[in-house]
Amino acid sequence: MASLASKRRNLVVAIGFLLPNILGVLTFVVFPVIFSIFMAFSNWDLKKHNLEVFEPLEFVGLGNFVRLLTEADFLRYFGNTLFLMIAIPFSVAGSLLAAILLSKDTRGGGGRVGVWLLAGTGLVVSVAMLTVLGLGATGMTILLVGVACGVLILGMVGGRTAYRTFFYTPHFVAGVATFLLWKKLYNPTSGPINAALRPVLNAVESTVNALGPGVTMVRWVLLGLVGLLVALALHRVRRWWTEGDLGSGAIVVPVGFLLLPAVLAGFWSYIQAEAIWLGAFVAAVLIVEAVLMVRQKREMMPPSAGEGFGNALMLALALLVLQLILVGLAAVTKSLPAMVADGGLAPPNWLASYHWAKPALMITLIWAAIGSNNMLLYLAALTNIPQDLYEASDIDGAGRFQKFWHVTWPQLAPTTFFIAVMSTIYGLQGGFEMARTMTEGGPAGATTVLSYFIYLEGFETGRLSMAAATGWALFLLVFILTMINWKFGNRYVND
Amino acid sequence: MKYLFAVTAAILVVVSLGVYYSYPDLHTDRPVIYWVTDNNSARQEQIELFGEWLVENGHVTEDGRPAIELRLEIDPTAGTDASQKKIINGVSGVLGDVIDTGAIRYYVALGLLTDVTEMAQEYGFDFSNTYAAIQPDLLDIQPRIETVTDAEGGEVEQVVGTAERQYAFPCNIWVDMVWVNKDTFARYGMEPPPTRWTIEEFEEIGREFVRRANEGKSRRDVFFVGDEVPLMQLVRTMGSSVFNETLTRPDVNNEIFIGALQRKYRWMYEDHLIPSLAERQSFATSGSARRGGAEQLLVDGNYAMLRRGRYGIINLRRFQDPENPLDLAVVEPPYQEMPTTLTGTRSAGIYTQSESKQDAAKFLAYLASEKYNMQIVRDGDAMPPNPEFAQTEEFLRPPEHPNEWGTHAMFNHGLKNLAVPFERSPFLLHQTVAQRMTEAEDKVLNKLITPEAAAAELQRRLERELERTLEEYPQRRQWHEKLLKDQETIDRLRAEGKKVPLELIQNPYWRAYYQHKGWAE
């Protein structure tokens, strides 16, 4: 009995200490969440329901959601949000790369450090001399090179701990402060980004002038590479299927991603004419591979429909990024002579231009995401990979890339899937601070994302019910993505 | 562990009590009112002057100190149309007593501002103490509904007119004029522009100026007029408005609006009379235009002229060489159909949940007083709210700044003879209209769509928004319908070439335009 009384007393004490926190969560999290559901189905408007006026609240059913889906603005801003989410594969790849680099020991021996220090000093002196000689305009570019040099020396002296701290630092700095800094970096004339781009563009301009219109032929090479990548990937997918590593149901989405760039290129006016050829080639390869799949028999017992989805998806996503870059480069190459003739190549007006504002925000997003918790998760996952797997692959004679593809990558699969899904969730919810600080949603609404739209609806117009409905629509999207994670992620993890 | 928790909890309680008892309100024997305003160095002086004003007007404690203690509550976005801080604090019931606002109507709709019509009469800060041009920005207009007998003898509620109520008093009033650095014109061998000039003259002089100023340069770094030229200003001076006469319908899909968009594009990207956003950003000045960047560029000669209110003088004084002060002039914005300019005010209202409304009203009375107005006159922070003080010698000819003589009077002239406040429809939120207009303009300036397409799209978007307001506020439909009938009358009278009774026109721009054209009865 004494023990029971003691347990009860402990329970009361525990609840006593937990109560303030529980009450806080109930008041400031649970209650608002539940209340916002009610708001989303009402006509709550701050102009009609406030401390002075309180008209009867009306239940509007799905009215707010119907309005959202029929509202061009919502769909446009949703499109902006999705566009910015293109940054996710880049940032995941960047985090992985950073984690792999940071898992290596970078500490250099005394001699190497000395050489780097000497080189760094030489660079600083050269910079100073150039500045004195009146080349101060390029000072910012040189300064950036100097900083990069300093970072190298830092890593050699402090080892990977120094780099890890360095890479993770942006995560500690308040978002608004870093976004203001990026705004300065993007300054079209005095910003260091354009200062660095200017000499590069001048060199490109000279090259294009030297080569003449023939330079546009490079686009065919680039588009050919896209076709080749798709062909190789489809061939790989068929092999996985034949060998029983890929279920029939798991083919559709990855193949869809593989074909997406060719389809998108067909809608892109800059390269529409060439995209027809690319599309025809890709379609032909697809038909050939499909016919071969039908004619060939599986070498093993057919796996479950979703088997191998994760591997195929990762391959498709990685190639999607690469293909998009190649298609973009092809379009640029095609337009280069015309651009050079039309006043020369000028660095972008990053935040003031409708076409550049979104990419500018994406670059900032990628920068912020590379050194974020994703990198830490990858670092932790890398240290958990059993060394004997690498030793076994060494015995099998695997090279660096093979070790990465057959050991590291599969072992990181659960982490990658977790990061990809979490990044997607954050991607759908995020972007507010950037939009508010760097562009105020402009120009012409190009950077207005859903979270900023919620703010505008809630505070600029007082329509809290619409803001709540938008929030819940967003939640539904996030929920669906989480369901997909449960459905396919667990299976992938267990592959 | 539980003892650690207990000790932590006890420390938190003690610290909380300490913080609570350190609140200044608990250590004063006088009523305290809070003024929610922006972070401006002049506020401290204005608070001290308020104390002096209280003493001079007999609002004192038994020992002769000011009867009210005024404290600041800083809101960096005070004076804007939709300040997040004010909205959140206000609807939660915890805002300061006196709140700075830009346009008042949104805040009135949110239930944040007190109707001060009667208090204004009592304390002496009614409309007779400020400029007529700014009055619409201090008013909220609601339909006046009366019960009348219909044809069948039944009683029905009917909109019979409108009721105008005062909700604020100006702190300082801005009116856009054009500052001219005469030295810059002289540098390129040109005469400064005349006080009144047409848009055609503006373009002609401007093209010649930018040609001379940028000749032989690899990068264009001198512009005719600095900073933004608002689209609204162009549309208005070319003879149109965003709304029709009764504010019942947006009216942007017309030749004048399209012409204004085309003209702005031309000025920015073809004639390079005004800098584009990228060009503005590229000037490596220390801050944004508000912090002095644009004024600095006027002083340095990158801008020959600058569209600004009188408040521009604060930074001009700061940046110019005291040994060699600028040769300044102020001229009217160029016009086409009607000389006009934009105006607005940072005004102060009383929070509806304030427990010290009478004390807050004294602060508003202070804003109309000589004490406060002369501080604005000396400081140069826009126009004093009371026009009486814009006639003083200190305003017209500041003794320490002889190079400014003649410039300040132009702002008084602008406010009295040119300024027309923004047209704000009761059926559309002003910030929504502004946001949609900016988007349309951005699309044209970014060459995404043609000016014609932008105007048509803007018209559709604003009409949809107006319809949405009428759906959400069905009680306003009757008012809207009554005004539509007035609009029909106006259209009919105009078609017949007859004069229009001014009381039918709700849009302040059209009221001014009709008077200018002699179309008003």
Side-chain angles (χ1 to χ4, degrees), chain A residues 48 73 187 189 459-460, chain B residues 106 281-282 431 446 461 472:
Chain A
K48 290 195 281 190
D73 282 347
N187 188 304
T189 303
F459 296 113
E460 296 260 314
Chain B
Y106 187 48
Q281 285 177 350
S282 70
Q431 53 266 36
N446 275 279
R461 292 184 80 187
E472 288 171 347

Side-chain angles (χ1 to χ4, degrees), chain B residues 75-87:
Chain B
D75 173 13
T77 57
T80 57
D81 285 358
S83 148
Q84 188 183 350
K85 173 175 170 159
K86 278 206 290 282
I87 293 169

Side-chain angles (χ1 to χ4, degrees), chain A residues 17 45-48 50 52 55 67 73 76-77 187 189 349 353-354 444 459-463 466, chain B residues 2 5 87 90 106 109-111 278 281-282 353 431 439 442 446 448 461 465 468 471-473 475:
Chain A
F17 281 117
D45 185 327
L46 277 177
K47 302 188 290 297
K48 290 195 281 190
N50 55 55
E52 287 294 299
E55 291 179 14
R67 184 180 283 279
D73 282 347
R76 201 167 135 234
Y77 301 147
N187 188 304
T189 303
N349 292 325
S353 152
Y354 182 86
F459 296 113
E460 296 260 314
T461 70
R463 290 180 182 123
M466 280 300 286
Chain B
K2 64 188 175 189
F5 276 126
I87 293 169
Y106 187 48
L110 297 179
Q281 285 177 350
S282 70
Q353 306 302 309
Q431 53 266 36
E439 267 199 41
D442 279 353
N446 275 279
L448 297 174
R461 292 184 80 187
E465 198 65 36
R468 187 176 174 185
E471 272 171 32
E472 288 171 347
Y473 298 87
Q475 64 275 32

Side-chain angles (χ1 to χ4, degrees), chain B residues 416-431:
Chain B
K416 282 190 162 167
N417 304 314
L418 307 176
V420 179
F422 288 100
E423 50 272 53
R424 300 176 199 276
S425 167
F427 310 105
L428 266 171
L429 280 176
H430 181 67
Q431 53 266 36

Side-chain angles (χ1 to χ4, degrees), chain B residues 299-315:
Chain B
V299 172
D300 293 346
N302 295 99
Y303 295 160
M305 302 186 294
L306 180 64
R307 182 197 61 82
R308 268 286 185 282
R310 180 177 173 256
Y311 58 89
I313 201 64
I314 299 175
N315 283 322

Side-chain angles (χ1 to χ4, degrees), chain A residues 12 70-71 101 136 197 234 238 280 328 406 428 453 468:
Chain A
V12 169
T70 52
E71 189 77 37
L101 289 174
L197 278 176
L234 288 176
R238 180 169 60 81
H406 294 291
L428 280 169
F453 178 60

